[in-house]
Amino acid sequence: GGVVQAAGDGPVPQQGGVDCEYPVSVTDATGQTVTVAEEPDRVVALQASAAQTMWETGAEAKVVGMPVQPYTAYLNGSTERTNVIGEDGSVVQEEVVALEPDLVLAPNALLAPNETVESLRQSGLTVYHFKQANSLEYVYEKTRTTGLLVGEYDAASERAAEMEATVEAVRGAVADEENPRVLYLLGPSGFAAGENTFIGEIIAAAGGNNVAGELEGGYSVVSGETVVAEDPEWIIVPEGRELPKTDAVNGTTAVQEGQVLRVDDDFLNQPGPRNTEPLKTMAQAFHPEAYAAANVEDPELPSYPTCEADSERGTDTDGGEDGGATDTATASDGSVGEDTMSDGTDEPATTPGAGSPGYTVVTTLVALLAVLSVAT
């Protein structure tokens, strides 16, 4: 469980009140302005990160379809939902359509994400497509955007503020500490998370120096030469997973000194509010004294936006005139959002094989399905 998933950054006003009355419209990663006419009663979450956010914001009762897999078992009642993910990790579109959802939440870490989103839209469904997560700020934004779309903006905004407060409390607690060298391995095949990812930011916030560096695509196999040269003092691995059985790994300071830390990868790899749990676990391991001296468990919340019915909407949250649940293009020439590639995706246009420099989150998903027998 816990394949790295995508987060969104739908533009939601961050200052003052937010008009949460329906219809609400938000531009998604495909450049489409997704309009939700009425508060949805039936929501399908196509990946675990979207389901986690629904649970964390008190909207779990609206979820009728989601991945019903071991990596979502921590969500109470998840087995009572309809599974919409096949054995190969792809979306079972017939199941999604049959559920007649008012809204489909589609993180970017799907197999063929743009094709899946477009196909579901052609079936008449309203689909919001999140972009790839590369920072914790994206995770906060994804949480607020989800809340706005499903009618739980206040709860979502507060939950994002709680997450941000915890992250900043941990950062402050370890700010003056010497950062140990850290390597996060997703499993025995040697896949690692680079520093240019939201997981890399979690490691940095916990007071660690991610030795994986700027992996192209964010996630790739780390060579034995890199492991030897960087000699991590801590190795992080998911609970229940084995370390790569290589001389390079066995010779590291981390292994020699017994500093192998196992974390819940569902909480670390799924960009959502529960990212703070492995963050605290890592910080406490890296810097136990500094962590103990800080107020990490009950930090003061920063100011955060809430619903205000009479407030003026931001540019990207103007409601549709006809009140219908529609997906309308924001540009007539088919152009996409500024954060996407020319083919409408924020992933590279090509995805080389495992170990290649361009190995991406989506191809990591495929590899982990085969190598680690998991899927998220």
Side-chain angles (χ1 to χ4, degrees):
V3 174
V4 178
Q5 298 179 9
D9 67 344
V12 174
Q14 296 304 300
Q15 300 295 327
V18 174
D19 186 350
C20 300
E21 291 186 354
Y22 288 88
V24 295
S25 299
V26 186
T27 302
D28 75 352
T30 67
Q32 297 283 335
T33 298
V34 179
T35 299
V36 183
E38 298 177 347
E39 181 174 340
D41 295 319
R42 300 174 63 80
V43 177
V44 169
L46 295 185
Q47 285 290 349
S49 60
Q52 179 191 133
T53 304
M54 291 291 286
W55 257 255
E56 289 291 307
T57 57
E60 67 272 20
K62 297 175 182 285
V63 178
V64 294
M66 60 178 285
V68 180
Q69 304 287 350
Y71 52 83
T72 58
Y74 67 91
L75 299 172
N76 186 34
S78 61
T79 56
E80 300 170 8
R81 274 63 177 184
T82 298
N83 181 41
V84 297
I85 299 296
E87 292 183 0
D88 62 351
S90 64
V91 175
V92 184
Q93 297 191 42
E94 296 82 359
E95 291 283 1
V96 178
V97 174
L99 288 169
E100 299 182 347
D102 304 312
L103 176 66
V104 178
L105 300 174
N108 197 58
L110 303 169
L111 299 180
N114 289 323
E115 291 84 349
T116 299
V117 169
E118 182 58 28
S119 179
L120 290 173
R121 285 174 173 167
Q122 290 178 358
S123 297
L125 300 183
T126 300
V127 184
Y128 186 88
H129 184 26
F130 295 103
K131 66 173 292 183
Q132 180 182 336
N134 57 13
S135 73
L136 287 170
E137 184 60 40
Y138 281 2
V139 182
Y140 309 151
E141 200 67 62
K142 168 183 178 284
T143 303
R144 290 188 288 258
T145 299
T146 300
L148 180 67
L149 292 170
V150 304
E152 296 289 348
Y153 184 78
D154 281 353
S157 186
E158 181 177 9
R159 190 67 184 88
E162 291 171 352
M163 184 184 181
E164 183 177 2
T166 300
V167 171
E168 294 309 314
V170 171
R171 276 195 177 121
V174 303
D176 296 329
E177 302 298 309
E178 183 176 351
N179 292 351
R181 301 182 301 279
V182 179
L183 176 63
Y184 175 49
L185 297 173
L186 280 72
S189 56
F191 284 104
E195 63 184 12
N196 53 327
T197 62
F198 77 95
I199 293 176
E201 189 173 342
I202 292 172
I203 294 172
N209 177 22
N210 187 357
V211 301
E214 293 188 4
L215 299 177
E216 186 172 346
Y219 306 88
S220 186
V221 175
V222 172
S223 69
E225 291 79 5
T226 297
V227 173
V228 171
E230 298 294 340
D231 186 24
E233 298 166 272
W234 284 91
I235 293 179
I236 314 298
V237 292
E239 293 174 350
R241 304 278 177 81
E242 296 295 328
L243 283 174
K245 299 183 184 301
T246 65
D247 291 339
V249 170
N250 289 337
T252 61
T253 297
V255 171
Q256 293 298 312
E257 297 187 2
Q259 295 185 157
V260 176
L261 182 66
R262 287 177 166 80
V263 299
D264 189 320
D265 56 336
D266 294 337
F267 297 169
L268 181 56
N269 292 358
Q270 299 171 14
R274 295 204 183 194
N275 286 157
T276 55
E277 296 306 314
L279 166 70
K280 292 187 290 185
T281 298
M282 286 188 281
Q284 194 169 20
F286 301 160
H287 309 290
E289 294 182 1
Y291 183 90
N295 178 24
V296 173
E297 297 303 324
D298 188 28
E300 182 178 353
L301 268 62
S303 61
Y304 58 90
T306 58
C307 290
E308 185 175 300
D310 295 330
S311 67
E312 182 177 354
R313 290 183 185 270
T315 301
D316 292 302
T317 55
D318 292 331
E321 294 179 359
D322 60 1
T326 59
D327 301 320
T328 55
T330 56
S332 59
D333 61 358
S335 61
V336 298
E338 62 180 6
D339 293 317
T340 59
M341 304 293 286
S342 59
D343 63 350
T345 173
D346 56 0
E347 299 286 357
T350 58
T351 51
S356 300
Y359 203 77
T360 66
V361 175
V362 172
T363 46
T364 300
L365 172 64
V366 178
L368 288 176
L369 283 170
V371 178
L372 307 180
S373 299
V374 297
T376 45

